[in-house]
Structures are given as structure tokens and as C-alpha cells.
Amino acid sequence: MGVIDNLGKKLDSRPMGIVFGLVLPVFGFVIFWQWKHGARSFDELYHFLAASPNNRNDLLVFSVIPNLLLFYLTNFRWRWDKFTTGLVGVTIILSVVVASLILL
């Protein structure tokens, strides 16, 4: 038994998938914010994003990418089916929110 198998026994549940699905976009948002807009404070970033829909696209889409990477690993590599269903459910909801924010 490898490390991934032991980890899978502990993490392969829908609630864990939901937790990771909610936390990873926050990390993606912060990483992209610091990488691309590090000179701006959070308040300045908020006003920049609110100024135009074109300003929102990169930041909102990039925040969902960590979920996609984790989906690849948990679904195709490690076969954590319960974890993946929680992750996919949250990602679908976040994708609808992101799409609606981009279209506003």
C-alpha cells in the first residue's frame, strides 16, 4: 500500500471533496491576485474588477483551475469516486457563479 492509497482511505468522501472544492478556488484567487495584481490592495482589486467585465475574466476563471487539476488526479489517477463527486458538485456551482459574474 502506498501513501496515496492510505490518503485515499481517509479523504475519499463527499464532504472532503466539498471542502477541497471550496478552499482551492480561494487559494487560486490569492495566488493569481499576488502574481498578476500584487501591487494592488484587496480594496483596489475589488474596484478594478468592478470597473469592467473584461477585468474579471482572468481572475475568476483562474480561481477554478485548481479544482480542475484536483479533479484530474482524483478521478483519473487515484479513483477517489466519492471525493470526486463532492468536488465536481462544488465546481459546477462555482462555474455557474463565475459565468454569471462574467456576464454581468
Side-chain angles (χ1 to χ4, degrees), residues 2-41:
V3 174
I4 297 299
D5 293 331
N6 290 334
L7 191 62
K9 288 181 181 180
K10 295 177 185 175
L11 295 179
D12 190 15
S13 67
R14 282 184 189 94
M16 289 305 293
I18 291 170
V19 167
F20 275 81
L22 292 172
V23 171
L24 284 178
V26 174
F27 285 133
F29 177 83
V30 170
I31 289 169
F32 189 73
W33 166 31
Q34 292 303 312
W35 174 49
K36 194 84 166 178
H37 303 283
R40 295 187 173 142
S41 69

Side-chain angles (χ1 to χ4, degrees), residues 39-53:
R40 295 187 173 142
S41 69
F42 185 75
D43 190 42
E44 292 171 333
L45 181 68
Y46 174 76
H47 291 296
F48 174 74
L49 294 175
S52 170

Side-chain angles (χ1 to χ4, degrees), residues 8 12 15 17 34-35 38-39 41 44 48 50 68-69 73 84-85 96 104:
D12 190 15
Q34 292 303 312
W35 174 49
S41 69
E44 292 171 333
F48 174 74
L68 298 175
L69 295 173
L73 292 173
T84 302
T85 57
V96 169
L104 289 179

Side-chain angles (χ1 to χ4, degrees), residues 2 7 10 21 25 33 38 51 57 61-62 70 75 79 95 102-103:
L7 191 62
K10 295 177 185 175
W33 166 31
N57 293 351
V61 169
F62 188 80
L70 187 60
N75 191 50
R79 302 297 303 165
S95 298
I102 289 173
L103 293 174

Side-chain angles (χ1 to χ4, degrees), residues 67-86:
N67 280 7
L68 298 175
L69 295 173
L70 187 60
F71 169 76
Y72 171 76
L73 292 173
T74 59
N75 191 50
F76 298 115
R77 290 288 190 193
W78 302 331
R79 302 297 303 165
W80 298 354
D81 296 328
K82 294 175 188 168
F83 184 96
T84 302
T85 57

